[in-house]
Each structure stands twice: as C-alpha cells, then as structure tokens.
Amino acid sequence: MPRSSSEVSWKRLLWYVLAGSRGGPNRGRIINLLRREPYNINKLAEALQVHYRVAEHHIRALEKNHLVSSAGEKYGKLYFLSPEMEAHLPLFDEIWAQISRRVEREVKR
C-alpha cells in the first residue's frame, strides 16, 4: 500500500530522532512513557535512571521536532505526546521495534 507524503516525512523524522544519535534509545523510551501518562522532567529522569540534564536535553530534542508538547511552567511543567505524534504511534511502534532488535543484537556481541 503506498504511503502518503506525510507518512513518509514522519517515518524519516522518527528514524532521524530515534536512530540518528546515541540518545535515540532514551528518546524512544520517553515516547513510550508519555504515551501512558504525562511526566515532568524530574520524573522522566527518575524513570530513565539518567541525570536531570540528560532528560532535559532529550525532551528539548523531542519538543523541537514536534513529537512532544508541554503545559505548565518551571518544575510543574508536564510533557505530553503531541497530537501529531499520537496520530503516528503505529509508525513509531514499527520503527521502535526495528531499533530495539538492533540494540539487542549489539548488546549480545
């Protein structure tokens, strides 16, 4: 089935955000956390077991690419999946499964 140009663009964006840097796996984990409930950066850092600044860096990258949005201010600011990201979760799941398998193979080496 041919994909729409929007879907192709989202596929490229997700590959870039999730596989284009060392931080991709953490960004994928953030997306999976936010699909269940909103988080602030402190709670994301705890859930990911990373420093606050690391979680903040990844959230900014996701926000810059319109994958997450926020509500509130300062420490009370909560992050949610953007409506566009929610609409493309099946595409995310497809890409995330491929990336996860690749990471597992590399860990086993």
Side-chain angles (χ1 to χ4, degrees):
M1 179 172 132
R3 295 185 187 246
S4 70
S5 62
S6 171
E7 193 171 349
V8 169
S9 295
W10 267 88
K11 187 172 189 174
R12 288 178 180 169
L13 174 63
L14 288 170
W15 272 109
Y16 167 72
V17 169
L18 299 172
S21 72
R22 267 187 336 170
N26 278 333
R27 293 175 189 163
R29 291 172 58 206
I30 289 171
I31 291 169
N32 277 320
L33 288 168
L34 294 180
R35 74 193 304 172
R36 289 186 284 258
E37 64 184 274
Y39 279 77
N40 66 21
I41 292 180
N42 192 48
K43 292 294 183 188
L44 279 173
E46 287 177 16
L48 297 171
Q49 297 180 328
V50 298
H51 190 275
Y52 179 91
R53 294 280 187 203
V54 172
E56 185 177 46
H57 168 77
H58 292 306
I59 270 292
R60 284 195 179 141
L62 292 168
E63 202 167 25
K64 176 183 164 193
N65 287 289
H66 309 288
L67 303 180
V68 301
S69 57
S70 63
E73 295 182 20
K74 300 192 180 192
Y75 294 108
K77 186 182 256 188
L78 290 176
Y79 293 88
F80 304 82
L81 292 182
S82 69
E84 297 89 354
M85 181 68 245
E86 287 181 353
H88 290 91
L89 279 172
L91 190 55
F92 165 80
D93 290 336
E94 176 186 317
I95 292 168
W96 185 242
Q98 291 177 48
I99 291 170
S100 297
R101 283 192 299 273
R102 186 186 321 156
V103 169
E104 285 175 17
R105 282 193 304 268
E106 289 172 5
V107 168
K108 288 180 182 178
R109 287 183 192 170

